[in-house]
């Protein structure tokens, strides 16, 4: 196999040579600089991707993959018919109706009111759509009655802690629905018994959400047979976009179909923007490392003036001379990039697998910093590092190509 002489010379010039230890050390520093910058980029992007994936999971946790709402009203009737139409769509695994109302909730004994988002659910259907720690079995108790025939309520763990209530205690909810009395119009309220708590590890759900039976909610809100939306669980969440389009077609123009990622797209967009700026900032490390490549090749050109003159006198074209030094820079970039990608991927995996970086869950809602490495991110980092390394070869190669062979040999 014939190797082009340009490549042969490029490899030969990069080898450790006797009497040229300084150039070899500079070359190693250039490789190390590219490797460190590339590894830092991989780790930084894995960090941002880890937080992004954790945020997506928290957004989706405690809610259906898709929600069907009335296009022009906060609630709709014939919830059973809507459920049947939704279940008939291919890819829909389960569906459950929800009747929502904001409310004030308080512990009468401690007089500690708090804002709550009350969701009336079907205890048999809702656990098939959403699941949290301590939720499934507790939801089943919503069909029972507590002491004195009081209906049951399931509270988010943080909400229950704020109210200072435990299982078996009583709470009162006040909803924005009035009832007429001989004296005045008063907001409707209801005393319920705490059946238990749930934990989703997501701040809004755990600190504000509470569940009651959907029939209790309908009676409280005078909304017989109605629902605010229908939660859907998909057989394969990866086909979210396609399933969403299928459900929208099946439901018709009178309904809208939402997914929580779309509703929280501004948060996710902010993550992507931060990820881009972080990428650009840390990419400066690779740019600085590329300056080492420039200095290495410039020194190499100065050291090989006689060889360059000889090659030119023997018929080598300026393009061939330039390609020798461009290949040197590209090889430095390739070796440094390969080491950096491997090192960054391994370090990011280890940091996540062994949960090295611990944080306070009370502040960040995670007990360690998550890292997630995507193949696409690794490919982008590798491509960026190679492009920067290639750019660093242009000036030294141009300088080598412009050497006059007669002057080069005479000076030597």
């Amino acid at each position: 196999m014939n190797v082009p002489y340009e490549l042969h010379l490029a490899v030969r010039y990069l080898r450790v040579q006797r009497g040229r230890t300084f150039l070899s050390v500079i070359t190693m520093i250039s490789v190390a600089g590219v490797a460190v910058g590339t590894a830092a980029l991989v780790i930084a992007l894995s960090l941002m991707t880890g937080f992004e994936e954790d945020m997506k999971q928290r957004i989706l946790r405690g809610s259906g993959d898709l929600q069907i709402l009335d296009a022009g009203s906060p609630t709709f009737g014939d919830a059973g018919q809507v459920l049947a139409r939704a279940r008939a769509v291919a890819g829909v695994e389960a569906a459950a109706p929800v009747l929502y109302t904001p409310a004030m909730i308080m512990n009468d004994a401690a007089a500690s009111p708090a804002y709550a988002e009350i969701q009336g659910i079907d205890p048999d259907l809702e656990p098939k759509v959403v699941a949290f720690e301590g939720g499934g079995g507790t939801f089943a108790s919503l069909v029972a009655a507590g002491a004195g025939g009081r209906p049951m309520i399931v509270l988010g763990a943080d909400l229950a802690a704020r109210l200072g209530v435990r299982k078996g205690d009583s709470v009162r909810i006040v909803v924005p629905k009035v009832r007429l009395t001989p004296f005045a119009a008063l907001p409707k309220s209801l005393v319920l018994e705490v059946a238990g708590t749930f934990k989703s590890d997501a701040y809004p759900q755990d600190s504000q959400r509470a569940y009651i039976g959907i029939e209790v909610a309908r009676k409280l809100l005078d909304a017989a047979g109605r629902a605010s939306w229908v939660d859907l669980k998909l057989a394969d969440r990866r086909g979210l976009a396609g399933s969403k389009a299928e459900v929208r077609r099946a439901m018709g123009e009178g309904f809208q179909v939402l997914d929580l990622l779309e509703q929280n797209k501004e948060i996710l967009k902010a993550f992507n923007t931060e990820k881009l700026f972080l990428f650009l900032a840390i990419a400066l490390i690779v740019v600085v490392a590329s300056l080492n490549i420039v200095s290495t090749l410039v020194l190499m050109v100065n050291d090989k003036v006689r060889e360059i003159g000889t090659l030119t006198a023997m018929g080598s074209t300026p393009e061939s001379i330039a390609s020798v030094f461009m290949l040197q820079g590209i090889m430095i970039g390739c070796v440094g990039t390969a080491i950096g990608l491997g090192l960054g991927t391994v370090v990011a995996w280890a940091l996540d697998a062994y949960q090295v970086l611990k944080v306070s869950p009370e502040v960040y809602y995670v007990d360690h910093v998550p890292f997630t490495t995507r193949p696409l991110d690794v490919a982008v980092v590798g491509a960026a590092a190679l492009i920067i390394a290639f750019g660093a070869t242009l000036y030294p190669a141009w300088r080598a190509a412009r050497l006059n062979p007669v002057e080069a040999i005479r000076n030597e």
Side-chain angles (χ1 to χ4, degrees):
M1 180 178 178
N2 294 324
V3 178
Y5 79 89
E6 294 92 345
L7 179 59
H8 175 76
L9 287 175
V11 173
R12 180 182 175 184
Y13 288 167
L14 286 176
R15 291 175 182 169
V16 178
Q17 300 179 27
R18 184 178 303 174
R20 291 182 170 84
T21 307
F22 177 74
L23 275 177
S24 300
V25 171
I26 293 296
T27 301
M28 295 300 177
I29 292 175
S30 300
V31 172
V34 175
V36 170
T38 304
L41 267 176
V42 172
I43 294 171
L45 293 185
S46 298
L47 170 65
M48 293 302 298
T49 303
F51 275 113
E52 181 185 358
E53 291 297 322
D54 183 77
M55 176 64 71
K56 287 182 179 179
Q57 291 178 8
R58 290 175 186 277
I59 289 173
L60 294 173
R61 193 177 299 152
S63 299
D65 297 325
L66 296 174
Q67 291 181 341
I68 302 174
L69 301 90
D70 190 280
S73 175
T75 63
F76 55 83
D78 299 325
Q81 183 181 359
V82 175
L83 278 175
R85 290 167 61 184
R87 290 195 186 103
V89 179
V92 175
E93 186 174 294
V98 176
L99 182 59
Y100 165 82
T101 180
M104 290 298 296
I105 184 169
M106 63 191 73
N107 178 356
D108 282 340
S112 54
Y115 170 78
E117 296 180 347
I118 306 296
Q119 292 191 12
I121 62 169
D122 186 320
D124 296 324
L125 299 179
E126 190 70 13
K128 299 177 182 178
V129 178
V130 300
F132 345 75
E133 180 183 336
T138 307
F139 288 162
S141 62
L142 294 178
V143 297
R150 290 194 298 262
M152 310 294 280
I153 185 171
V154 177
L155 302 174
D158 293 343
L159 179 59
R162 185 162 37 147
L163 293 172
V165 296
R166 295 177 296 179
K167 182 177 180 180
D169 292 341
S170 298
V171 293
R172 180 185 299 273
I173 60 172
V174 181
V175 299
K177 184 77 176 178
V178 298
R179 58 186 176 88
L180 298 177
T181 71
F183 306 102
L186 300 176
K188 297 189 71 172
S189 66
L190 182 65
V191 177
L192 304 101
E193 182 177 321
V194 178
T197 62
F198 68 88
K199 190 172 182 61
S200 66
D201 291 327
Y203 176 76
Q205 286 90 335
D206 293 344
S207 65
Q208 297 179 355
R209 189 174 296 180
Y211 292 96
I212 63 177
I214 191 168
E215 293 303 327
V216 175
R218 284 168 174 169
K219 184 177 180 181
L220 180 64
L221 299 174
D222 297 328
R226 303 188 69 82
S228 299
W229 64 77
V230 170
D231 277 333
L232 302 182
K233 180 181 180 181
L234 302 179
D236 186 0
R237 184 176 283 174
R238 291 173 297 180
L240 183 65
S243 297
K244 181 178 178 180
E246 288 291 331
V247 173
R248 184 179 288 118
R249 280 193 293 269
M251 300 309 301
E253 296 182 357
F255 293 89
Q256 57 179 329
V257 182
L258 301 177
D259 66 83
L260 291 183
L261 294 182
E262 179 185 24
Q263 291 177 287
N264 292 272
K265 61 182 179 181
E266 295 301 325
I267 298 176
L268 299 177
K269 187 184 296 183
F271 264 100
N272 290 329
T273 302
E274 292 177 4
K275 189 175 180 180
L276 174 62
F277 284 129
L278 186 64
F279 176 86
L280 295 176
I282 299 183
L284 293 176
I285 299 176
V286 183
V287 174
V288 172
S290 71
L291 298 179
N292 286 333
I293 297 177
V294 175
S295 61
T296 300
L297 295 182
V298 168
L299 291 173
M300 192 74 70
V301 170
N302 292 334
D303 186 67
K304 302 298 182 183
V305 168
R306 184 175 182 178
E307 287 88 339
I308 293 171
T310 302
L311 287 171
T312 306
M314 293 175 62
S316 293
T317 63
E319 290 78 13
S320 295
I321 299 298
S323 65
V324 172
F325 295 93
M326 292 179 70
L327 286 170
Q328 281 185 272
I330 291 172
M331 282 190 284
I332 292 173
C334 286
V335 173
T337 299
I339 294 174
L341 293 179
L343 179 64
T345 302
V346 170
V347 170
W349 173 84
L351 290 173
D352 185 69
Y354 296 103
Q355 301 181 6
V356 176
L357 302 179
K358 300 290 186 179
V359 294
S360 172
E362 288 78 15
V363 178
Y364 298 100
Y365 293 93
V366 291
D367 58 1
H368 70 283
V369 177
F371 290 84
T372 301
T373 304
R374 290 176 180 168
L376 178 60
D377 289 341
V378 174
V380 169
V381 170
L386 291 177
I387 290 172
I388 293 173
F390 173 77
T393 68
L394 297 180
Y395 170 71
W398 172 80
R399 181 175 175 180
R402 284 177 57 85
L403 281 177
N404 187 309
V406 175
E407 293 296 327
I409 297 175
R410 179 185 300 169
N411 291 335
E412 289 294 318

